Amino acid sequence: MGLKGKTQDFNIMRGEGEDAKLESFSIELDEGMVVLDCVHRIQHEQQPDLAVRWNCKAGKCGSCSAEINGRPRLMCMTRMSDVVEETPEGQAIEIRPMKAFPHVKDLVTDVSWNYDVAQRIKPINGPETMDWEFNQMEADRVQQFRECIECFLCVNTCHVLRDHALFDDFAGPRNLVRLAQYEMHPLDTEDRIPEIKKEFGVEYCNITRCCTEVCPAGIQITDDAIIQLKERVVDRYYDPLQRIWRTITRQNVRY
Amino acid sequence: MEYTVRHLLKEGDRVTGCVAYTRVDGDFHAFSAKSVILATGGITRCWSVCSGSWEYTGDGHALALWAGAELRDMEFVQFHPTGMVWPPSVRGILVTEGVRGEGGRLTNSEGDRFMFNYVPEMFAGDHAETIEESDQWVEEVVSGKLATVRRPPELLTRDVVAKAINSEVKAGRGSPHGGAFLDISHRGEEAILKKLPSMHHQFKELAGVDISKEPMEVGPTAHYVMGGVRVNAETQESNVPGLFACGEVASGLHGANRLGGNSLSDLITFGKRAGEHAAKRAEDLAQPGIEDTQVQSAIEIMLAPLNREGGENPGLIYDEMRDMMQAKVGIIRTKEEMTEAMADLLAFNKRQEACFPGSSRKYNSGWHQALDLKNMVDVSTAATLAALTREESRGGHTRDDFPGEIEAWGKILNIIYMEDGEIKIRQEDVEPMREDLSEAITEVKTMIAERAAEQAGGGN
């Protein structure tokens, strides 16, 4: 089914704060459009001051996160052919800003909380000498975490934040990925386990895998990052045998 | 976060700071600075098919021009041969040169490896002449050996490949969406996923094409401007004291045609130099004051679009202007079309002065566009004026009415400057190369020639 010439209705969030509400727009589609193209067409032809944050149009910069028909996605990577197909005939396509973050205007939200949390994470502390080596497998293990484009769709989806607003007690999936990336780095010597348990609240996550499901970079956030961190916390705090062993061998670790 | 600088503050000749707005709130901020470094990238958003993001609107080029700095080489715009052509949402997005480096084959709709027919005289004999020779080169290089045969013609300079694709499309031998086919599938899925993972992902997600099984469609895309702020090569300072530039916004390093990979080394080397010299200058200066009248007038200019009663949507002007530049100041240029473009730009300038983005300052995309239109008009004018003046073809600048290089033009620079609010052009002689540098180049060339002779002699 071709898109060209089809008239499509949209309901897009407009306005700021309490006054924000869905407004209806209608445009003619072209072949091969993505959702962001439609938003731009509305902005260029009808609503010059429509606010939308975007940059690369190739799923690399993570700027154009939104909720399309209720599903958190990147607008630049969501093809209209798919959205038209999933939307019941005669119904408008709904585009809302990410719900979990403070609303700025229209489709733009303030995601700076994520950067503040990132600032509190201890950076990698590596060896000073250059004579190290590590196995390729160890490099491969953290490689996927570097694919993160910081679109924060995972944070927006996580019910600990979206529904329970525990922004003060929980670091959110994106920053747990960052913590995993540092903790699993083969040369890192820093210890972040007490913070991961307390300040960053890894135990709030109950592994519903919603974050993994919405990740446009395909990172196995839950299985490969969060569960790994949870296991490290369990080893440190809840495994009596390990605790005894550490006492016998006089390993000095923080709790 | 998300500041956009719109004005450079001056005291006499020197730059003393800048005035910016924030995109989110539309607040205004004035900064006092002993040195200012422009690192704003390029101007390729002025063309409708481009590889740059929305930021490439030439604001740094324009800020410099407005502040009295000179621009040079603005006619040299590089069109990268391989941008995506389909779907329209991704038209122009870059397909890395790495695809051809890994053995990618360019073919037309008739299945011909057309690049064999487009080797320019100056590169004659440097490239493979048969498919077998090309394949052997790829095989040797990807397995980490030193190549014993010549490289495939697909790896000719960017302007040559871009023009070849352009010609094939014009001759009716293009791909379904107006490009050429680029095929890497013969390298096999495993190698492609290992060496070109992001290209595989990009085509799969954006175009629904599996490049390990089928060819891509590619075509030229505006990618880089060799021209920019004229700077001192040692310090990266412009002719305006205190104003430095580095990266794509600066000029001089890449001449008429940048080679792939050289932008990165440019950034690393000259970004460092700009930083060092800007810091050194700042050491000896007192913090400059901020002159209120300059700030107020900058703010007034920024607010103007919001205070109008009504007018055109800036987004429409933006789209139409980019289409115009694509059509009239594109890969192949003529006097006739560029003269039209100069007149069109005057009209676009009038239109942007009367556009209306609504009256809100808060994250108003149309207002941001309205402000960008002014710099886009000015840098487009600079590029067109320089291109119209250079009556020869060289590097990234191709004139249909003046094919081929003209020796005399090779020694002349086009300098763009602003006088009484008007963009003007004058010529200057190219500075002769420093002796130690030309000696170093001769040395390297001799070395390469010797090595080639050694290899041709049996390679034992």
Side-chain angles (χ1 to χ4, degrees):
Chain A
M1 181 197 63
L3 291 180
K4 191 160 179 60
K6 179 183 162 60
T7 304
Q8 178 65 50
D9 296 328
F10 291 86
N11 285 336
I12 298 179
M13 184 70 91
R14 286 282 270 151
E16 302 167 27
E18 303 256 302
D19 298 329
K21 58 179 191 306
L22 289 174
E23 285 184 21
S24 302
F25 304 99
S26 183
I27 56 162
E28 205 171 281
L29 300 183
D30 269 326
E31 220 54 70
M33 282 178 115
V34 292
V35 173
L36 184 61
D37 293 323
C38 297
V39 174
H40 278 155
R41 182 163 286 182
I42 293 166
Q43 193 253 322
H44 284 208
E45 291 173 4
Q46 302 175 27
Q47 299 278 311
D49 61 351
L50 174 64
V52 55
R53 194 184 265 131
W54 66 283
N55 197 319
C56 74
K57 288 198 74 179
K60 298 274 198 308
C61 76
S63 303
C64 64
S65 307
E67 299 183 4
I68 303 157
N69 283 344
R71 192 181 165 84
R73 296 180 256 197
L74 293 177
M75 286 189 275
C76 74
M77 296 296 276
T78 308
R79 291 191 228 165
M80 279 305 291
S81 51
D82 295 338
V83 184
V84 167
E85 202 176 295
E86 74 183 23
T87 311
E89 188 64 36
Q91 213 162 305
I93 293 167
E94 192 183 280
I95 311 176
R96 292 173 180 269
M98 287 192 285
K99 184 192 165 202
F101 299 109
H103 190 213
V104 172
K105 189 188 140 191
D106 305 341
L107 298 175
V108 175
T109 53
D110 176 4
V111 295
S112 58
W113 171 79
N114 298 286
Y115 307 131
D116 296 338
V117 174
Q119 289 287 319
R120 303 208 310 263
I121 295 175
K122 278 190 259 176
I124 285 179
N125 196 1
E128 277 170 27
T129 50
M130 292 289 281
D131 58 351
W132 46 263
E133 55 182 63
F134 54 76
N135 195 294
Q136 182 61 38
M137 259 168 60
E138 293 181 293
D140 291 344
R141 205 161 55 133
V142 290
Q143 189 56 34
Q144 66 161 319
F145 303 141
R146 301 178 65 103
E147 301 281 318
C148 175
I149 56 172
E150 301 217 304
C151 62
F152 304 121
L153 287 171
C154 57
V155 178
N156 177 55
T157 311
C158 174
H159 58 94
V160 178
L161 301 162
R162 188 184 177 95
D163 299 326
H164 300 286
L166 293 171
F167 288 93
D168 293 335
D169 308 309
F170 183 57
R174 191 288 168 257
N175 276 310
L176 290 173
V177 166
R178 187 193 302 278
L179 281 159
Q181 183 186 335
Y182 292 0
E183 281 293 303
M184 288 157 75
H185 193 288
L187 297 176
D188 178 58
T189 53
E190 197 65 74
D191 174 24
R192 303 176 189 82
I193 300 301
E195 296 97 288
I196 290 169
K197 174 175 163 58
K198 295 167 193 162
E199 195 184 343
F200 299 132
V202 73
E203 287 157 308
Y204 278 110
C205 167
N206 59 357
I207 334 183
T208 52
R209 292 197 170 79
C210 305
C211 52
T212 306
E213 200 171 310
V214 299
C215 178
I219 302 170
Q220 290 301 309
I221 303 174
T222 317
D223 290 2
D224 293 351
I226 299 180
I227 290 180
Q228 301 287 332
L229 294 178
K230 280 174 175 282
E231 283 176 354
R232 282 160 204 241
V233 168
V234 167
D235 287 349
R236 177 77 53 93
Y237 287 90
Y238 305 112
D239 185 337
L241 288 177
Q242 287 212 29
R243 203 153 183 164
I244 292 165
W245 177 249
R246 279 198 298 265
T247 314
I248 296 169
T249 56
R250 300 192 178 188
Q251 284 177 42
N252 211 356
V253 296
R254 292 192 305 138
Y255 289 97
Chain B
M1 297 273 283
E2 297 181 291
Y3 283 76
T4 305
V5 173
R6 290 303 306 173
H7 179 81
L8 294 175
L9 293 168
K10 284 185 78 178
E11 184 188 277
D13 282 343
R14 69 173 181 139
V15 160
T16 53
C18 65
V19 184
Y21 70 87
T22 57
R23 296 177 77 83
V24 171
D25 302 312
D27 286 341
F28 299 118
H29 299 260
F31 298 90
S32 147
K34 300 171 189 174
S35 308
V36 172
I37 305 174
L38 294 172
T40 51
I43 67 168
T44 46
R45 269 270 141 191
C46 297
W47 286 265
S48 53
V49 181
C50 74
S51 64
S53 72
W54 59 262
E55 296 147 308
Y56 280 63
T57 49
D59 41 354
H61 288 74
L63 284 170
L65 190 63
W66 299 337
E70 291 169 347
L71 308 181
R72 56 171 272 193
D73 301 339
M74 290 301 287
E75 62 272 45
F76 299 117
V77 177
Q78 180 168 78
F79 289 82
H80 195 289
T82 61
M84 293 177 80
V85 296
W86 182 258
S89 65
V90 295
R91 185 161 192 139
I93 289 180
L94 204 65
V95 177
T96 171
E97 211 135 43
V99 176
R100 280 170 292 138
E102 290 289 323
R105 298 164 178 168
L106 279 169
T107 54
N108 60 20
S109 62
E110 292 165 7
D112 283 342
R113 288 273 295 266
F114 58 84
M115 280 314 299
F116 286 104
N117 312 326
Y118 287 93
V119 182
E121 211 172 301
M122 70 181 284
F123 297 119
D126 292 354
H127 291 77
E129 275 159 33
T130 61
I131 291 178
E132 291 71 35
E133 191 178 355
S134 284
D135 290 352
Q136 194 186 334
W137 183 91
V138 172
E139 208 167 289
E140 288 172 352
V141 168
V142 299
S143 57
K145 289 187 213 144
L146 206 64
T148 61
V149 293
R150 294 167 297 180
R151 51 174 35 201
E154 271 88 354
L155 291 171
L156 276 156
T157 55
R158 288 178 177 173
D159 61 310
V160 174
V161 183
K163 280 182 276 192
I165 295 174
N166 203 47
S167 305
E168 287 298 309
V169 173
K170 277 201 173 157
R173 296 189 290 268
S175 64
H177 301 102
F181 293 109
L182 176 60
D183 194 358
I184 187 76
S185 62
H186 55 276
R187 290 288 314 279
E189 192 173 353
E190 200 189 326
I192 292 168
L193 283 175
K194 188 160 173 251
K195 299 296 277 290
L196 300 162
S198 78
M199 281 301 116
H200 185 263
H201 181 255
Q202 182 172 319
F203 271 90
K204 193 130 205 191
E205 294 288 324
L206 296 169
V209 168
D210 182 348
I211 67 167
S212 67
K213 296 192 173 59
E214 50 193 322
M216 303 157 238
E217 270 187 76
V218 296
T221 176
H223 181 53
Y224 188 90
V225 59
M226 272 67 76
V229 182
R230 188 188 202 189
V231 291
N232 177 307
E234 289 301 318
T235 64
Q236 297 293 109
E237 192 170 15
S238 70
N239 59 305
V240 176
L243 182 62
F244 297 75
C246 58
E248 194 174 347
V249 68
S251 66
L253 187 67
H254 307 292
N257 200 4
R258 181 174 70 82
L259 295 178
N262 277 4
S263 184
L264 183 60
S265 31
D266 173 3
L267 309 183
I268 293 168
T269 313
F270 295 97
K272 179 170 184 280
R273 282 195 183 184
E276 283 169 353
H277 287 276
K280 195 164 161 235
R281 175 187 157 84
E283 263 174 21
D284 306 326
L285 288 174
Q287 194 68 40
I290 293 177
E291 199 199 324
D292 199 45
T293 50
Q294 277 189 57
V295 177
Q296 290 310 324
S297 106
I299 290 176
E300 221 168 89
I301 293 170
M302 284 190 266
L303 286 177
L306 304 175
N307 295 334
R308 292 177 195 135
E309 304 273 301
E312 230 180 328
N313 186 332
L316 281 179
I317 307 174
Y318 183 88
D319 290 345
E320 282 179 31
M321 193 162 79
R322 297 177 67 209
D323 287 343
M324 185 284 288
M325 286 297 286
Q326 187 75 30
K328 296 180 183 173
V329 199
I331 306 178
I332 312 286
R333 301 158 170 185
T334 65
K335 180 176 181 178
E336 202 183 4
E337 284 176 342
M338 286 191 290
T339 313
E340 273 176 37
M342 289 299 282
D344 291 348
L345 285 165
L346 284 178
F348 280 118
N349 195 33
K350 282 255 157 30
R351 282 170 69 186
Q352 67 87 15
E353 281 171 357
C355 70
F356 179 59
S359 52
S360 164
R361 274 161 65 178
K362 193 158 185 178
Y363 216 118
N364 181 343
S365 310
W367 180 39
H368 307 159
Q369 259 168 351
L371 296 175
D372 278 339
L373 280 174
K374 179 63 189 156
N375 33 283
M376 289 171 76
V377 166
D378 283 358
V379 297
S380 297
T381 305
T384 310
L385 183 59
L388 192 56
T389 310
R390 184 170 288 273
E391 296 189 326
E392 64 154 353
S393 297
R394 178 182 298 276
H397 169 69
T398 304
R399 290 281 299 255
D400 206 28
D401 42 0
F402 294 97
E405 290 180 2
I406 292 170
E407 209 188 331
W409 265 112
K411 299 187 171 69
I412 297 170
L413 292 177
N414 278 329
I415 310 283
I416 301 278
Y417 61 102
M418 201 166 219
E419 200 172 67
D420 307 322
E422 212 181 306
I423 295 169
K424 295 187 174 170
I425 188 164
R426 68 163 197 273
Q427 276 79 45
E428 262 182 45
D429 289 343
V430 174
E431 226 179 293
M433 192 182 289
R434 244 170 46 196
E435 210 169 299
D436 54 333
L437 291 179
S438 77
E439 271 168 25
I441 287 178
T442 321
E443 213 172 285
V444 172
K445 277 190 175 161
T446 325
M447 210 167 75
I448 292 171
E450 276 168 13
R451 206 177 290 170
E454 235 168 69
Q455 274 186 9
N460 297 320

